[in-house]
Amino acid sequence: MMLIVVGANFRTAPMELRETLAFPGGKLSRALSELSARYGTETVILDTCNRVEIYLARLTGEALPDADLLAEFLGEFHGLPAAKVRPALYAHRGAEAVQHLFRVVSSLDSLVLGEGQIAGQVKDAYEKAQQAGTVGPVLHALFQHARIVGKRVRSETGIAQGKASVSSLAVDYLKQVFDHFGDKTVLVIGAGKMGELTLKHLKALRPGRILVTNRSPDKAREVAALCNGVPVPFEHLDQCLVSADVILSTTGAPEPIVTLERFQRLVPQRQGRPVAIIDIAVPRDFDPRLIHLDVVDLLINIDDLQAIREHVLRNRVKHVPAVEAIIQAEQERFLKDWSRRRAAPAIAKLYEQWESIRKEVQEECFRKLNGKLTAEDLAIIEGAFRLMQNKLLHAPLSVLREQGHEEGSGLLEAIYKLFRLRD
Amino acid sequence: MLERITILCFAASYGVALLLEAMQLLLGRSEWRRLAALLAGAAGLFAHTVYVVYHGLPMQGGPSSLLFVSWVLAIFYLVGTLHHPRLAWGVFVLPVVLVLVVAAKLIIASEPTIPPTPENLWFWAWLHAVLLILGSVGLSVGFVASVMFLVQAWKLKHKTPPGEGIQLLSLERLEVMNRRAITWAFPLFTAGLVIGLALLLNQEDFTLTDPKVIVTGLFWAVFALLLYLRYGLHIQGRRMALGTMIAFGIMLLAYVVQYIWPSAHPSGGGP
């Protein structure tokens, strides 16, 4: 199998370069077609915000283009000097390339260890290449196997355990407080960047009502429009604090906007209804002593969420050896399977050739002995011929099955030549 | 054969199930431990069911009422565990089941002589017992939900990461479970107690200072106060959970009081 992966990721290339090397929209299918046509290869491009990787493969034939040639292609395609691209590229060939893809799909090569998106992105890359008609038997087998590796790693190890994003962690906390959100009111205070993603996650919970308040009415309207919320004047914050079940606060206020005294005054109006507060503002918007109030079931701030995120990531690191072991085993399995698959036509041809020789010799023998042997004698002789054929073939076929995949061994080619299988 | 099934048989099975459930928490989740706990719990429930049917519970006196309540709670454990395999259901329900079973066993050892119920009042005595048992089941469920609520609330107040430690239902769901349980239990209790009071008034040696009557009256007052706090003053959450737990404690006391102090009560179905 001839296989190479050449790419740049967050470790080798800065964000600006990765952005330039990306293949948004129609660029991807154009690049896939151009690469396939130029080098006569199967091609898949994996393009995510943290990496751009080109997988090229061919069953047999000339050597595949190397990183220098692909740097030229990338430079040409994106209008950059190849010299600027080349230092950011890494390359892996053959078994190493297989291992690299398995590491990528297992998220061992991700910015956030154990993140779940990469498996879908790898699948997506494969499907887009398939639509562009640039996938052949090698990359088909490789990417199908990568899918299996990704599933095994996630189901058999704890690499993906826990949430590693601040916004999804916040939502997980909320789900421990409330069972359903259709009858809940979410109050969003402020319009900080940090809050946008969390608000997106909150919106996915389909709350009954979203109230948005901000010192700037324009900003409140802007955020409210994004989440189908209702903008509320900042002066009405107290009423909102009374009616809210979930509060997301992201202002840039220099001091807490909701003090213990202010909230305590409002508690009787809440009639015992509990509230969950996600305060991701820096500095904090809510007095931390609010957690001691009976109605406050949850008060979590950005530091708490970051600390949990780090804790989750530290835990995930413990599962890396188990993931590595799966990758190693799957890499070996893939290469063996591939070797068997690749050697299969040669084995079939060799067997066919020997079978036809055996039949030819056997028939000649039977013809000469015509009438002198019983049916039983003929069966014994035929069995002996078959046994001899199988014993002679056993060693070469076993070696072909086991070692046929080894690059550079030339074993398969030698078998084709020695036995004139191509004739 | 059936008479050889004793309280010890199912108490031991529940004990093993509880031990395995506790190991799930301490040593981490494992599928075989979960299945083993389920099997032990199911074996206990089977033996318990045979015992209940064979002995014609719950109409055989105070201990049998406790055994009947614990039997319903054991069903609640098994159904809950099957329905919520990832939650630490058994750790909360099984101790209550075991406490009730052990209490029943202890009471049986010191059971006073039960005066027979006059034949013309048999139906009312039966209804009195059934209503009190159903109310007890409701309050027991409320108690379990309250303990779970307090643990979950503690976890959230201490910002325990989601997915770590004991896994429980959301606070809202536990609060609803508690609220529904006590809302159903109270009218059943009240009706049962009114019938019981009417039956007691027929007895010649009945006095209002009877310890059973005092504790049961106290229990009813606490329960009524609990409902007033919930619906009248909108008290929710932690305080409601604590109130339910106190009511449950007094209910248990009402069950066992006649075995501690002499009482004129004919050891019927419940408090």
Side-chain angles (χ1 to χ4, degrees):
Chain A
M1 170 178 41
M2 303 175 81
L3 172 69
I4 188 170
V5 52
V6 174
N9 65 16
F10 61 93
R11 290 196 190 92
T12 64
M15 172 77 89
E16 299 75 41
L17 182 59
R18 292 202 311 271
E19 279 171 356
T20 318
L21 293 178
F23 296 92
K27 273 188 171 182
L28 182 69
S29 55
R30 191 156 62 82
L32 284 166
S33 307
E34 276 192 38
L35 279 163
S36 276
R38 189 180 293 192
Y39 302 115
T41 57
E42 299 175 30
T43 311
V44 170
I45 296 176
L46 176 61
D47 178 18
T48 74
C49 49
N50 285 322
R51 69 184 65 245
V52 175
E53 289 181 345
I54 298 171
Y55 290 81
L56 299 179
R58 206 184 278 147
L59 271 173
T60 49
E62 289 172 31
L64 289 167
D66 58 10
D68 291 335
L69 272 174
L70 285 167
E72 273 177 32
F73 169 83
L74 286 167
E76 200 181 297
F77 194 88
H78 293 293
L80 284 171
K84 198 178 168 190
V85 180
R86 182 62 189 94
L89 296 183
Y90 50 82
H92 303 288
R93 285 176 182 276
E96 271 182 30
V98 173
Q99 191 189 49
H100 175 77
L101 178 63
F102 290 178
R103 285 179 64 83
V104 167
V105 80
S106 306
S107 80
L108 287 192
D109 204 42
S110 294
L111 182 59
V112 178
L113 185 69
E115 56 105 356
Q117 277 183 321
I118 188 66
Q121 288 166 334
V122 168
K123 184 172 168 248
D124 211 35
Y126 165 73
E127 283 172 356
K128 280 182 178 151
Q130 219 178 17
Q131 282 161 16
T134 60
V135 175
V138 180
L139 291 186
H140 170 75
L142 178 65
F143 277 78
Q144 288 302 318
H145 205 102
R147 197 170 54 86
I148 295 167
V149 175
K151 276 191 182 171
R152 259 198 81 183
V153 161
R154 273 166 186 82
S155 63
E156 292 177 26
T157 74
I159 196 78
Q161 250 172 25
K163 294 278 167 66
S165 104
V166 164
S167 44
S168 49
L169 263 174
V171 168
D172 274 5
Y173 267 113
L174 288 179
K175 284 181 180 169
Q176 296 202 339
V177 178
F178 297 115
D179 201 46
H180 47 274
F181 293 83
D183 57 348
K184 304 291 182 298
T185 297
V186 172
L187 168 65
V188 182
I189 311 173
K193 274 272 165 204
M194 275 298 289
E196 270 179 31
L197 197 59
T198 312
L199 182 56
K200 211 169 147 188
H201 278 80
L202 281 180
K203 204 182 143 199
L205 295 172
R206 297 184 183 174
R209 195 163 63 131
I210 300 180
L211 306 175
V212 182
T213 187
N214 197 295
R215 284 187 206 277
S216 151
D218 288 342
K219 282 230 167 160
R221 274 193 290 274
E222 205 178 293
V223 176
L226 282 175
C227 61
N228 297 332
V230 181
V232 183
F234 198 71
E235 299 74 51
H236 295 175
L237 179 61
D238 279 358
Q239 287 100 300
C240 295
L241 289 171
V242 169
S243 57
D245 300 292
V246 175
I247 300 172
L248 170 65
S249 197
T250 67
T251 76
E255 280 178 9
I257 54 170
V258 182
T259 59
L260 180 64
E261 295 71 28
R262 180 178 187 175
F263 200 81
Q264 257 174 335
R265 275 200 309 275
L266 304 171
V267 166
Q269 295 175 55
R270 293 189 58 86
Q271 299 205 319
R273 274 185 312 106
V275 62
I277 304 166
I278 301 165
D279 181 2
I280 51 176
V282 181
R284 289 173 292 190
D285 285 336
F286 282 74
D287 189 324
R289 289 175 299 165
L290 255 65
I291 191 66
H292 302 302
L293 297 178
D294 242 15
V295 291
V296 179
D297 277 343
L298 176 74
L299 171 56
I300 199 124
N301 62 46
I302 190 73
D303 281 353
D304 301 324
L305 294 170
Q306 296 280 21
I308 294 162
R309 181 179 183 272
E310 273 156 35
H311 172 76
V312 166
L313 290 176
R314 271 199 305 275
N315 268 348
R316 285 182 179 181
V317 171
K318 291 179 196 160
H319 298 279
V320 168
V323 176
E324 299 269 20
I326 289 176
I327 290 173
Q328 178 71 28
E330 288 297 336
Q331 183 195 358
E332 281 167 17
R333 194 157 76 95
F334 171 76
L335 292 172
K336 272 193 177 169
D337 284 354
W338 178 256
S339 124
R340 281 194 197 107
R341 208 177 307 176
R342 192 173 158 245
I347 290 169
K349 277 190 178 177
L350 193 60
Y351 192 83
E352 224 171 80
Q353 188 192 58
W354 281 54
E355 181 78 359
S356 106
I357 292 169
R358 178 187 63 79
K359 277 185 183 163
E360 201 180 303
V361 175
Q362 188 183 291
E363 273 164 24
E364 179 63 24
C365 177
F366 287 173
R367 199 176 47 78
K368 284 180 182 165
L369 295 167
N370 193 18
K372 293 175 191 166
L373 298 171
T374 63
E376 201 179 321
D377 296 333
L378 288 173
I380 290 171
I381 293 170
E382 190 179 342
F385 272 112
R386 271 186 195 281
L387 185 66
M388 187 174 70
Q389 176 193 330
N390 289 343
K391 287 208 168 192
L392 284 170
L393 273 176
H394 178 72
L397 293 189
S398 301
V399 173
L400 256 182
R401 282 191 188 108
E402 296 304 317
Q403 294 168 27
H405 68 276
E406 284 175 10
E407 288 234 8
S409 74
L411 195 61
L412 201 60
E413 201 53 31
I415 293 281
Y416 271 105
K417 279 187 182 161
L418 276 172
F419 293 96
R420 299 188 175 180
L421 296 179
R422 289 208 173 89
D423 299 343
Chain B
M1 172 68 187
L2 294 182
E3 72 277 2
R4 289 172 68 187
I5 291 178
T6 63
I7 291 178
L8 192 69
C9 293
F10 48 87
S13 295
Y14 293 144
V16 171
L18 177 61
L19 189 73
L20 289 163
E21 293 275 2
M23 281 166 74
Q24 289 280 76
L25 284 184
L26 299 172
L27 308 175
R29 297 198 68 78
S30 104
E31 197 53 23
W32 77 263
R33 261 200 300 271
R34 192 181 84 83
L35 288 174
L38 261 176
L39 276 176
L45 182 61
F46 175 73
H48 202 155
T49 308
V50 171
Y51 189 92
V52 165
V53 173
Y54 184 75
H55 290 89
L57 303 186
M59 286 307 299
Q60 302 297 312
S64 63
S65 309
L66 286 177
L67 285 176
F68 194 79
V69 173
S70 62
W71 177 68
V72 178
L73 283 178
I75 297 173
F76 179 62
Y77 152 70
L78 212 62
V79 172
T81 306
L82 288 170
H83 197 63
H84 305 289
R86 295 194 66 79
L87 304 183
W89 198 258
V91 175
F92 293 90
V93 186
L94 283 172
V96 182
V97 173
L98 276 170
V99 164
L100 294 177
V101 169
V102 170
K105 175 78 182 156
L106 293 176
I107 290 171
I108 284 172
S110 62
E111 180 139 42
T113 318
I114 306 169
T117 309
E119 212 162 285
N120 58 336
L121 295 175
W122 186 89
F123 170 75
W124 293 106
W126 175 85
L127 189 63
H128 161 70
V130 167
L131 289 171
L132 292 184
I133 285 171
L134 291 176
S136 304
V137 169
L139 190 55
S140 303
V141 170
F143 171 78
V144 171
S146 296
V147 177
M148 288 189 198
F149 182 96
L150 291 178
V151 174
Q152 181 72 303
W154 186 90
K155 276 180 67 187
L156 286 168
K157 291 259 183 197
H158 288 81
K159 299 168 184 179
T160 310
E164 271 194 20
I166 300 177
Q167 296 305 296
L168 294 164
L169 294 169
S170 69
L171 287 180
E172 184 179 31
R173 187 118 174 240
L174 291 169
E175 206 273 334
V176 169
M177 195 193 285
N178 179 23
R179 177 161 40 91
R180 284 190 185 153
I182 61 170
T183 309
W184 277 98
F186 184 72
L188 294 170
F189 264 130
T190 307
L193 290 179
V194 168
I195 295 171
L197 197 63
L199 289 170
L200 278 179
L201 286 172
N202 276 337
Q203 282 185 223
E204 287 169 5
D205 52 351
F206 167 72
T207 65
L208 277 174
T209 54
D210 187 290
K212 179 83 177 173
V213 175
I214 293 171
V215 178
T216 306
L218 174 71
F219 164 65
W220 188 87
V222 169
F223 207 159
L225 178 69
L226 192 66
L227 285 183
Y228 172 71
L229 290 174
R230 176 63 187 86
Y231 292 105
L233 301 181
H234 304 289
I235 300 291
Q236 290 189 40
R238 219 150 42 111
R239 280 188 277 179
M240 198 61 198
L242 286 170
T244 306
M245 288 166 73
I246 291 169
F248 178 78
I250 302 174
M251 180 192 82
L252 276 189
L253 183 64
Y255 263 109
V256 299
V257 70
Q258 71 213 71
Y259 304 98
I260 302 168
W261 289 291
S263 166
H265 188 271
S267 190

